Amino acid sequence: MSMSNNIAEGSGSSSKKDFKQFLNIARRSTFENANILILLKKRDLITEKELEKLLDKLDHLCRQITNFQSSLE
């Protein structure tokens, strides 16, 4: 939720610079979520296969956010 919340909050920004900052926070949240997933795996709450699938999705989201940031320049 932190990723989508930051994007939503940033969309209300009055400047591209501010919006890009919120996108940067959203992008960093993908790394935070990756860490949470790794911890879940270490506690055997998800399987290795689930971890890999979810990390791939996070990587894709991170790239999308980065590309969106770049398009605002």
Side-chain angles (χ1 to χ4, degrees):
M1 283 179 40
S2 60
M3 292 178 295
S4 60
N5 285 341
N6 278 295
I7 293 169
E9 186 176 356
S11 69
S13 297
S14 59
S15 71
K16 284 185 181 181
K17 181 180 178 183
D18 286 343
F19 188 26
K20 284 177 68 173
Q21 181 58 31
F22 279 98
L23 290 173
N24 188 47
I25 295 166
R27 192 179 70 79
R28 292 186 334 221
S29 291
T30 64
F31 293 93
E32 180 181 7
N33 286 311
N35 185 60
I36 290 167
L37 291 171
I38 291 166
L39 292 174
L40 289 173
K41 171 60 180 96
K42 285 185 178 186
R43 293 179 181 169
D44 292 324
L45 297 172
I46 61 173
T47 66
E48 183 69 32
K49 186 175 180 176
E50 290 171 315
L51 174 64
E52 289 176 17
K53 181 179 177 182
L54 292 168
L55 289 177
D56 283 343
K57 286 183 177 188
L58 279 176
D59 180 61
H60 182 72
L61 284 172
C62 186
R63 290 173 193 273
Q64 286 181 311
I65 293 168
T66 300
N67 290 337
F68 186 40
Q69 278 181 295
S70 296
S71 75
L72 295 176
E73 293 178 4

